[in-house]
Amino acid sequence: MFQETVIFRAVRTLCTGGVVAAASLLSQSAMAQDTQAGEAPLQRVEVTGSSIKRIAAEGALPVTILTADAIRASGATSVTDLVKNLSSAQGSTGETGSVGGSTFGFSGISVHNVGETRTLVLLNGKRLAQFGGQTLTGFAAGFDLNSIPISAIERVELLTDGASALYGADAIAGVVNFITKHDTTKGDVTIGYSSPKDGAREKRISATKGFGNVDEDGYNVVLTFGHDERTKLASVDRSFANTGKVQFSANGKRYQKQQFSASPIPANATDDLGQLISPYQRTNGSCPEKTFRVIEPYNDGSGLADDYCGYDFTKDLEIYPERKRDNFMASATFKIAGHEVFSDVLLSRSKQVSRIAPVPGAISIDAGSALHTKYLLPLGITGDSTAYYRLFDMGQRTSNDTAEFASVVVGTRGNAAGWDYNATYNFSESRVKGSIAGYPGAIAVGKLTSSGLLDPFVGPGQQSAAAQQAIKDATYSGYWDGGTSRLQTINLNGSRELMRLAGGGLMLGVGANINREEFSSKPSLFAQGALADPAAGVLCGGTSGLECDQRFGDAASSLPYSASRTSKGVFGELIAPVLKQLELGAALRVDDFSDFGNATTAKASFKWTPAPALLIRGSVGNGFHAPTVPQVNARQTGYGVTSEKYTCTPALQAIATSLNAVCQSGNRQYDQLAGGNRDLKPEKSRQATLGFRYEPFNALTLGADLWHVQIRDSFGQLTEQLVFANPANFPGSWGVNTDVGTGKTYLAFLANNQNLGKSYATGVDVDVSVRYRSPIGLLTSQLNVTQMLREQIQLERDGAYYSAIGNFAELGTVTFRTRGQLATTLKTGNWANTLTVNFRSGYRDQETSVEVLDNAGNVTGQEDIRMKVGFFSTLDWQTVWTPRESWALTAGVLNLLDKNPPFVPSTSGSGRGQQFGYDDRYYDSRGRTLYVNASYRF
């Protein structure tokens, strides 16, 4: 009967997780041979995706295992870096998304780009609380990988087939199970250092020690601690990210793309026709420092154009944020009366600091005022004006985010009345606190201007001493927003053999669980718009009669709320080896949600071994995914601005008029609103897999798993591009927002949560391993590839279908058609050298408006283009030296050739920060990175 050997699992581990030392492969190969020869019996263990304890090699579902050796040898310094190299992981959020975005440093994982919210993350098979900083749209409604110390991980099991009966029907994309170190007395101390050029340098230390043997001493305790720190990386330290003004060639032409803000220093202002001009440029004939001239014709047929100085905010970004992390984990097991009582405790804290350009915003300049008379009247501007200004003297806007996570699991396991049982209670909580600096209130800035202290038309550092002090006094520094997510779960499950069949024992697994989810949104008084003087903390409204202020530049208030849900579930699972060559499986689960009623889901699977070297397997099932608590219950609030600029067309003007609002003049970004939706329906899915494993001889292993996921009533928001293209077709997608700084009520885009429609995704995960014992050592080469075959997604119910495969357009993201890794290791004595090729296919970038240049570099017009981003690959090198069993020294280079990310001119997209010139969601800006790790084991 075909069994997936241990060496084959190690090979697949290498393919998905990075690099596996050849020494590990040799030892595991010997272990597999001994087991197959009958010298050591295979033990039954819990395998991700099933409630039944069974031999790991027997699984009928596609589970990839990353061993501790694979993790150490991968060069990954964190769980985040580890999983982002998996070929089957696409669409995950990284730390750089915090640059200009409200991510609070969240890092998640999405399997096959089906979604982070549909990918279930477990710790030792237990659910964990979702991120406390998740948004009301569902972003970051997953587990923050920064909370798990990589030093505590024994192995990672990745199930790429979803809707598990054991864990819950909501794991539509798959399950990632982090298994920590248990039942060991070994100790390990590791120190490491990573050094990219000019920034993002990292130092780390971790220690693990186990005490006691469960069988001999009746107890075991394992303690793990990890600490790491990383410095910032500034945009100006990378040639591909240091400016918002880039000239490039494509399609046989020369182009220019300018990424900028219309709020510079000195300020731009509107003239009597509503056009944006630069008083500084009109007076001096050139734009000031850190800006460039921008000419934007209106596309409404009026013949008008904005002619102003755009601020190059890209130069002020820190594209990799500072970070400090501390993790502690304790696992204890005690043997009492033949049963095990155990507990796992995880405590973690991540602190991240990200900085972007000084705050921009709008200031009203009334006709007849001193500023108007001095700067605007000489230019022929006679009416009221609005100045678009950047408070440069207040310094960079800074986000200082802290994410704390705690998890406690207590339980008992063992055998009773012929049942292998496991009963647990687990409590987990994610607390997120986001503090800010460099922000004033909009009314406070207006008062500075009207008092005559603040002059928005002078350059950096040119304010009077009194104005500088007033700016300092108006600066808010402190807590801004955050939240708490809590999960409590009681689980009881067991398995046993019911009877003997022709192929073995008929196995039954049953279980039940109760979950209690809670979420609290905790905006500060400033974020709620409840302060008259944010810097001093003075309350507004009520008996005070003081006007409430909001944040300058993105005035919007959010209200606190709390909500919860309870869910209960029961499940049963059967594994029936009807023949020695054929095993069938079936599972049924029933869930009851306090807010969404009942759901019944099922799964069927098979495993067939027609020949000793060939295994064929498959499964089919359905899933049920309720929206998050915030997606349903959050109050409507300001949600930033649109990613693109839009002109006030007659259709937009009609919408604005109907809402008694002002339509933005010229090409402007619009305020965005969002809120929960109590009418949301759950997502429902169907999944299927079909795969094989073939090992014709010991030196070659082949495998492939075809997978398919289809979802209906998917959660999301109508895209701004769709709504702005046809404003009248979406009357429910509009609202208003009042800017307290100018007092004007503007038309706003309303992006509430909705059930959008259906989606389909199909692909294949392929792995190939070749092993050869050469005269100089053992040579292994492993290839792992995920190939996307189909993706179709609706942006509205009964609407057209779109695909992101090789296409950055309507969906605001890219799904790479091909993504993979090829690793080759040579083991010679106590040395192991590995060369790894990481690769992904190209795509067509989003359509972008650029300027056309002539041979002399002059702008001759504008053109909409779609760039082709080519195939991209990087090389990693690693050397491992183990002079003795207790010592190991690992040195390597990531991105060996220091290859820059490909240039992309697009500027929008779901989850993107403010970086320009490359897409930080897909490419690492750190460049060539040297690292070294030294480990002492005892």
Side-chain angles (χ1 to χ4, degrees):
M1 181 176 181
F2 178 90
Q3 289 187 340
E4 182 182 347
T5 63
V6 178
I7 186 171
F8 178 57
R9 291 201 306 273
V11 168
R12 286 200 295 116
T13 294
L14 181 144
C15 295
T16 54
V19 180
V20 174
S24 174
L25 291 174
L26 282 172
S27 64
Q28 291 178 346
S29 176
M31 186 189 309
Q33 292 169 1
D34 290 344
T35 299
Q36 290 176 346
E39 298 178 12
L42 288 172
Q43 296 182 346
R44 296 187 181 275
V45 297
E46 293 181 5
V47 178
T48 298
S50 175
S51 63
I52 296 174
K53 277 193 170 186
R54 52 210 308 272
I55 298 171
E58 292 182 0
L61 301 178
V63 179
T64 298
I65 302 175
L66 284 72
T67 65
D69 287 338
I71 295 170
R72 280 192 296 268
S74 69
T77 61
S78 67
V79 170
T80 301
D81 288 339
L82 177 69
V83 301
K84 77 178 184 180
N85 288 326
L86 296 171
S87 65
S88 55
Q90 289 204 56
S92 305
T93 301
E95 295 171 282
T96 58
S98 63
V99 180
S102 300
T103 70
F104 298 103
F106 172 80
S107 294
I109 179 171
S110 167
V111 174
H112 296 144
N113 208 17
V114 177
E116 289 172 331
T117 61
R118 303 181 185 117
T119 302
L120 180 60
V121 177
L122 306 172
L123 183 66
N124 296 319
K126 305 298 183 294
R127 280 179 172 262
L128 302 163
Q130 294 179 341
F131 189 54
Q134 64 184 279
T135 70
L136 57 87
T137 63
F139 171 76
F143 178 74
D144 182 20
L145 298 179
N146 290 303
S147 302
I148 299 179
I150 194 170
S151 55
I153 302 301
E154 178 65 29
R155 69 183 186 275
V156 180
E157 297 180 354
L158 173 62
L159 170 65
T160 55
D161 179 47
S164 164
L166 171 61
Y167 307 116
D170 57 344
I172 292 174
V175 178
V176 184
N177 192 5
F178 294 94
I179 312 298
T180 59
K181 297 174 181 177
H182 289 80
D183 198 17
T184 181
T185 58
K186 297 180 180 178
D188 179 284
V189 176
T190 300
I191 58 174
Y193 183 74
S194 298
S195 181
K197 181 182 178 182
D198 296 325
R201 292 173 179 166
E202 185 177 307
K203 53 186 178 182
R204 53 194 171 270
I205 184 171
S206 65
T208 300
K209 183 65 177 80
F211 306 90
N213 183 283
V214 173
D215 293 329
E216 298 177 3
D217 305 315
Y219 76 94
N220 175 254
V221 177
V222 180
L223 304 176
T224 300
F225 169 75
H227 172 79
D228 64 81
E229 299 181 9
R230 184 183 63 210
T231 63
K232 67 181 181 181
L233 174 62
S235 61
V236 293
D237 292 323
R238 291 294 181 266
S239 60
F240 53 83
N242 62 3
T243 180
K245 185 174 183 177
V246 177
Q247 295 184 355
F248 62 98
S249 297
N251 309 321
K253 297 181 181 180
R254 190 70 179 165
Y255 297 111
Q256 178 175 272
K257 176 66 178 180
Q258 297 185 139
Q259 173 73 339
F260 56 86
S261 167
S263 300
I265 179 171
N268 293 315
T270 54
D271 64 14
D272 290 340
L273 295 176
Q275 298 174 111
L276 194 61
I277 61 103
S278 169
Y280 182 96
Q281 189 268 338
R282 292 284 179 92
T283 303
N284 297 280
S286 62
C287 285
E289 185 181 1
K290 298 188 77 170
T291 70
F292 39 76
R293 188 176 181 183
V294 177
I295 301 176
E296 289 184 321
Y298 295 0
N299 59 9
D300 58 0
S302 65
L304 299 176
D306 291 332
D307 185 352
Y308 59 96
C309 296
Y311 186 76
D312 191 357
F313 64 85
T314 303
K315 292 182 177 297
D316 296 329
L317 303 180
E318 294 177 2
I319 55 179
Y320 245 93
E322 293 181 33
R323 185 196 65 210
K324 289 184 179 181
R325 285 189 301 215
D326 290 284
N327 309 93
F328 171 78
M329 184 153 192
S331 298
T333 304
F334 300 91
K335 201 164 190 176
I336 302 174
H339 299 261
E340 291 185 356
V341 177
F342 62 92
S343 178
D344 293 329
V345 177
L346 171 62
L347 303 173
S348 72
R349 175 183 293 167
S350 299
K351 293 186 176 182
Q352 180 172 284
V353 180
S354 58
R355 301 177 182 88
I356 58 177
V359 63
I363 301 173
S364 294
I365 308 293
D366 296 332
S369 65
L371 289 172
H372 184 277
T373 301
K374 182 177 181 180
Y375 294 104
L376 303 183
L377 191 59
L379 300 177
I381 302 175
T382 60
D384 295 343
S385 177
T386 300
Y388 293 89
Y389 177 59
R390 188 168 298 270
L391 263 171
F392 191 88
D393 295 320
M394 193 168 278
Q396 288 175 290
R397 285 169 286 172
T398 302
S399 296
N400 194 327
D401 301 318
T402 300
E404 298 177 332
F405 183 81
S407 174
V408 179
V409 177
V410 293
T412 180
R413 58 188 170 228
N415 187 280
W419 288 85
D420 284 320
Y421 76 92
N422 190 316
T424 60
Y425 165 77
N426 62 297
F427 170 90
S428 59
E429 181 179 81
S430 171
R431 290 180 176 266
V432 172
K433 299 178 181 180
S435 297
I436 59 173
Y439 290 89
I443 294 176
V445 174
K447 289 180 178 179
L448 283 176
T449 306
S450 61
S451 69
L453 282 175
L454 180 67
D455 187 342
F457 298 108
V458 299
Q462 296 179 11
Q463 303 286 346
S464 66
Q468 291 283 7
Q469 183 61 47
I471 291 172
K472 180 179 179 182
D473 293 341
T475 304
Y476 178 85
S477 297
Y479 175 72
W480 170 251
D481 202 355
T484 300
S485 176
R486 184 177 295 122
L487 174 67
Q488 298 182 74
T489 301
I490 298 175
N491 285 286
L492 174 63
N493 59 274
S495 64
R496 65 171 298 166
E497 180 179 312
L498 295 180
M499 58 182 293
R500 300 299 295 179
L501 299 178
L506 173 64
M507 302 295 295
L508 170 67
V510 295
N513 66 272
I514 301 175
N515 299 325
R516 174 71 174 178
E517 297 178 65
E518 300 171 82
F519 182 82
S520 298
S521 176
K522 301 178 179 180
S524 66
L525 291 175
F526 187 16
Q528 294 179 46
L531 297 178
D533 185 341
V538 177
L539 293 172
C540 64
T543 57
S544 71
L546 298 174
E547 187 178 2
C548 296
D549 204 354
Q550 295 180 16
R551 197 163 71 171
F552 179 66
D554 57 355
S557 60
S558 57
L559 298 175
Y561 68 92
S562 296
S564 63
R565 80 156 52 106
T566 300
S567 61
K568 296 169 285 186
V570 294
F571 68 87
E573 180 181 8
L574 282 172
I575 300 294
V578 294
L579 301 171
K580 289 186 177 180
Q581 296 80 21
L582 179 62
E583 175 185 280
L584 302 178
L588 181 70
R589 182 179 181 91
V590 178
D591 289 288
D592 178 70
F593 293 83
S594 60
D595 50 358
F596 284 98
N598 297 325
T600 300
T601 54
K603 178 183 288 291
S605 63
F606 78 93
K607 183 187 71 172
W608 179 40
T609 53
L614 177 64
L615 179 148
I616 300 174
R617 65 189 181 189
S619 69
V620 61
N622 65 317
F624 177 94
H625 181 211
T628 66
V629 172
Q631 280 179 306
V632 177
N633 298 283
R635 300 182 181 184
Q636 189 175 105
T637 183
Y639 202 72
V641 296
T642 58
S643 59
E644 297 184 13
K645 299 176 182 178
Y646 300 94
T647 299
C648 184
T649 61
L652 273 182
Q653 182 61 62
I655 296 289
T657 301
S658 69
L659 296 174
N660 296 317
V662 176
C663 189
Q664 298 276 8
S665 61
N667 295 317
R668 300 283 188 274
Q669 290 174 301
Y670 279 70
D671 294 317
Q672 183 168 291
L673 307 172
N677 182 357
R678 293 184 179 274
D679 294 326
L680 276 183
K681 298 178 181 179
E683 295 179 331
K684 296 183 179 180
S685 68
R686 293 181 180 178
Q687 296 86 225
T689 64
L690 180 63
F692 75 91
R693 291 293 179 270
Y694 182 51
E695 193 168 353
F697 45 90
N698 289 338
L700 176 65
T701 304
L702 307 171
D705 286 289
L706 178 69
W707 54 268
H708 173 75
V709 179
Q710 59 186 68
I711 303 170
R712 60 186 172 95
D713 293 326
S714 60
F715 308 138
Q717 299 78 37
L718 295 176
T719 65
E720 62 180 76
Q721 293 85 357
L722 180 69
V723 173
F724 275 87
N726 301 282
N729 292 348
F730 303 98
S733 294
W734 302 103
V736 298
N737 192 49
T738 300
D739 187 331
V740 298
T742 63
K744 295 180 180 179
T745 298
Y746 291 100
L747 179 66
F749 170 53
L750 180 57
N752 277 347
N753 299 320
Q754 299 185 35
N755 291 110
L756 296 183
K758 300 177 182 178
S759 67
Y760 302 87
T762 306
V764 59
D765 298 326
V766 179
D767 52 81
V768 180
S769 174
V770 178
R771 301 168 292 280
Y772 173 68
R773 186 170 295 280
S774 71
I776 60 174
L778 177 65
L779 185 69
T780 63
S781 188
Q782 298 85 24
L783 172 68
N784 184 271
V785 178
T786 293
Q787 182 77 9
M788 296 294 297
L789 304 178
R790 180 197 183 198
E791 181 184 74
Q792 296 292 319
I793 298 175
Q794 287 180 315
L795 293 178
E796 56 181 321
R797 188 183 298 275
D798 300 323
Y801 283 92
Y802 302 93
S803 175
I805 296 180
N807 178 46
F808 178 19
E810 297 85 2
L811 299 180
T813 186
V814 173
T815 301
F816 292 94
R817 184 171 293 279
T818 304
R819 187 179 180 199
Q821 186 179 76
L822 173 64
T824 301
T825 300
L826 176 63
K827 172 69 169 70
T828 54
N830 54 12
W831 293 85
N833 293 282
T834 301
L835 180 67
T836 303
V837 183
N838 309 287
F839 58 90
R840 63 186 66 194
S841 56
Y843 64 93
R844 292 189 69 196
D845 192 26
Q846 191 177 48
E847 185 174 84
T848 306
S849 179
V850 297
E851 296 174 326
V852 183
L853 304 178
D854 61 18
N855 292 333
N858 300 311
V859 177
T860 61
Q862 289 190 330
E863 185 177 320
D864 292 335
I865 67 168
R866 292 194 67 187
M867 288 275 291
K868 291 186 66 175
V869 180
F871 173 91
F872 187 80
S873 64
T874 58
L875 296 177
D876 300 337
W877 177 268
Q878 183 186 83
T879 296
V880 180
W881 179 44
T882 52
R884 59 185 63 184
E885 185 177 352
S886 58
W887 285 96
L889 181 66
T890 302
V893 184
L894 304 176
N895 194 354
L896 180 65
L897 302 181
D898 199 21
K899 196 170 182 179
N900 288 340
F903 170 71
V904 292
S906 61
T907 58
S908 65
S910 175
R912 290 188 70 172
Q914 292 190 4
Q915 299 91 329
F916 173 69
Y918 72 104
D919 199 321
D920 66 294
R921 297 174 296 176
Y922 313 122
Y923 306 102
D924 196 328
S925 59
R926 287 175 291 188
R928 181 189 292 130
T929 301
L930 285 72
Y931 67 90
V932 60
N933 294 314
S935 297
Y936 174 66
R937 303 171 189 173
F938 57 94

